[in-house]
Amino acid sequence: MTLRLPDAEGRLRTYTPRRTPLALTPGTPFTSRTVFSAAHVVADPYADVSPDSPAAVDWDGTLAFRRHLWAHGLAVAEAMDTAQRGMGLDWAGAAELIRRSAAEARAVGGRIACGVGTDQLAAGSLEEIRTAYEEQLAVVEEAGAQAILMASRALAATAEGSEDYLEIYGHLLRQASGPVVLHWLGPMFDPALDGYWGSSELDAATDVFLDVITARPDKVDGVKISLLDARREIELRRRLPDGVRCYTGDDFHYPELIAGDDRGFSHALLGIFDPLGPLAAEAVRVLDTGDAKGFRELLDPTVELSRHLFRAPTRYYKTGVVLLAWLAGHQEHFAMVGGLQSARSLPHLAKAYELADGLGLFPDPELAESRMRTLLTLYGVTP
């Protein structure tokens, strides 16, 4: 059996699906790296909503996917960009997601960290931004989860310079009950964050970011860097205070950054580990044995898929992530909160299917093929 898949030039080409998946089984947590998968939310496809309505979430499906990640030994980074924060999921929905996922983590013994931001504000004064951060920090800590201090669109719009960032983040680190993860999300993921830390010049912004960390290293578990610049991440990693981890958020260079070099390595907090979860877990367990070559042999072939999903405009990578979750059988539909399933073209989705199938990511290749045929037919393609 073959499929006719559209390419970027509008031509149909023949593809023969893979017949056997990779044999990937659940396993224990890792010993050499701390690895978070940022997780997507499953929409409720029967809810009568519009793109600007509050998100309607299928809670059973959403929590089931988190159990899937925990079963493979991964930690879950909750209510992050991958969960469509600010792109379909508002703060009320995120707060409910945090509470439910943190309770599920306690029930199954899974590790969880949750995003803290200011998305209940469209804009505001520095005092209002500080209060919004505090409200979200309280929700995460009351849920019993670790906090990830996310970049704030409101702060990016309001701050007049680096001093405002130093004041806001210094206050939050003093308020936090335990060590947090600081998240630097680049403008390729969210254009509203251009100039974060007070400068569009990345060397100057990096210095401010490090100033925040070195002022209270006891309150910083680690930093998540999402700039898609491996050289810059390595340079920053080497400047971190002792005991502060670097969690790579680089969905283009993650194998080399996690493997590391003779001067250190990155841990991981990655959106691409949502669809790659079982394979990524297997690779890290190989790395736990000291076999960096075997780790790279497993993970390097996945980079083409990741680069495809995260191609510009990068912020729409979630569409491909949810497509693959549907094709893999983790949910029964290809619908997203905010109607974001329409954010990528059919040729883009077809290529995502082909690359994932070639990697053996689908537990049931025949199910994935059948669902891809359905999608092609919906778009008017005779597969």
Side-chain angles (χ1 to χ4, degrees):
M1 297 291 288
T2 61
L3 289 173
R4 297 169 71 221
L5 300 178
D7 63 20
E9 285 71 44
R11 299 186 296 262
L12 291 174
R13 54 192 171 77
T14 299
Y15 173 70
T16 302
R18 179 172 175 149
R19 287 291 162 234
T20 56
L22 290 177
L24 300 170
T25 57
T28 57
F30 319 119
T31 58
S32 65
R33 303 290 189 273
T34 300
V35 181
F36 286 92
S37 168
H40 74 280
V41 293
V42 181
D44 179 355
Y46 303 119
D48 185 12
V49 294
S50 64
D52 56 357
S53 299
V57 177
D58 173 354
W59 294 113
D60 289 342
T62 294
L63 295 177
F65 188 75
R66 281 134 183 82
R67 290 193 297 271
H68 155 72
L69 294 172
W70 284 318
H72 283 276
L74 296 154
V76 168
E78 187 56 277
M80 301 291 291
D81 185 59
T82 305
Q84 296 182 242
R85 285 289 290 270
M87 290 185 68
L89 187 71
D90 61 12
W91 165 236
E96 183 67 12
L97 178 62
I98 288 165
R99 294 184 183 102
R100 288 176 180 258
S101 291
E104 195 72 16
R106 288 194 300 275
V108 303
R111 180 170 178 176
I112 189 169
C114 301
V116 171
T118 65
D119 44 329
Q120 66 270 60
L121 289 177
S125 66
L126 289 178
E127 182 177 353
E128 290 170 328
I129 291 166
R130 183 169 55 245
T131 300
Y133 262 129
E134 289 176 337
E135 176 191 349
Q136 295 201 15
L137 179 61
V139 169
V140 169
E141 292 187 338
E142 288 168 6
Q146 183 181 17
I148 302 170
L149 296 186
M150 301 169 67
S152 162
R153 291 175 179 172
L155 182 56
T158 300
E160 296 182 355
S162 60
E163 296 80 6
D164 291 337
Y165 289 91
L166 292 168
E167 190 279 325
I168 291 289
Y169 278 88
H171 175 81
L172 292 170
L173 291 178
R174 289 191 296 273
Q175 291 286 100
S177 62
V180 307
V181 176
L182 297 179
H183 185 190
W184 185 357
L185 189 69
M188 67 288 294
F189 288 94
D190 187 343
L193 300 177
D194 187 38
Y196 213 73
W197 306 112
S199 178
S200 294
E201 205 287 306
L202 289 179
D203 287 340
T206 298
D207 289 341
V208 176
F209 187 52
L210 286 166
D211 286 343
V212 170
I213 299 162
T214 55
R216 289 301 303 267
D218 59 309
K219 284 295 189 74
V220 182
D221 164 60
V223 297
K224 170 175 158 50
I225 311 299
S226 298
L227 300 177
L228 304 182
D229 184 335
R231 178 193 60 81
R232 183 168 296 278
E233 178 175 321
I234 291 169
E235 291 175 353
L236 187 149
R237 184 173 78 195
R238 291 172 178 171
R239 297 173 64 187
L240 291 173
D242 290 343
V244 176
R245 297 181 176 93
C246 180
Y247 293 98
T248 187
D250 188 332
D251 300 279
F252 285 3
H253 307 100
Y254 50 93
E256 65 197 77
L257 290 165
I258 297 170
D261 54 32
D262 58 357
R263 296 179 60 184
F265 56 82
S266 294
H267 300 269
L269 198 165
L270 288 162
I272 191 57
F273 281 4
D274 178 302
L276 290 184
L279 177 55
E282 181 70 18
V284 177
R285 273 189 277 273
V286 169
L287 187 60
D288 285 347
T289 69
D291 184 0
K293 182 175 182 290
F295 166 81
R296 294 293 297 270
E297 287 173 349
L298 281 171
L299 215 53
D300 281 356
T302 70
V303 172
E304 184 181 4
L305 170 63
S306 188
R307 285 177 174 264
H308 178 73
L309 295 182
F310 285 79
R311 64 184 293 186
T314 302
R315 62 190 180 277
Y316 295 121
Y317 73 89
K318 298 94 162 171
T319 301
V321 165
V322 174
L323 171 80
L324 297 184
W326 173 55
L327 295 176
H330 294 299
Q331 56 192 75
E332 294 304 314
H333 56 81
F334 179 38
M336 299 176 67
V337 299
L340 206 65
Q341 67 272 12
S342 66
R344 292 293 202 187
S345 68
L346 182 62
H348 180 91
L349 300 177
K351 185 65 174 178
Y353 160 74
E354 180 181 350
L355 291 172
D357 182 66
L359 290 168
L361 293 184
F362 301 129
D364 184 343
E366 291 185 5
L367 174 66
E369 178 188 341
S370 173
R371 289 183 169 183
M372 194 65 208
R373 287 183 186 279
T374 299
L375 184 66
L376 291 165
T377 300
L378 179 65
Y379 276 82
V381 177
T382 303

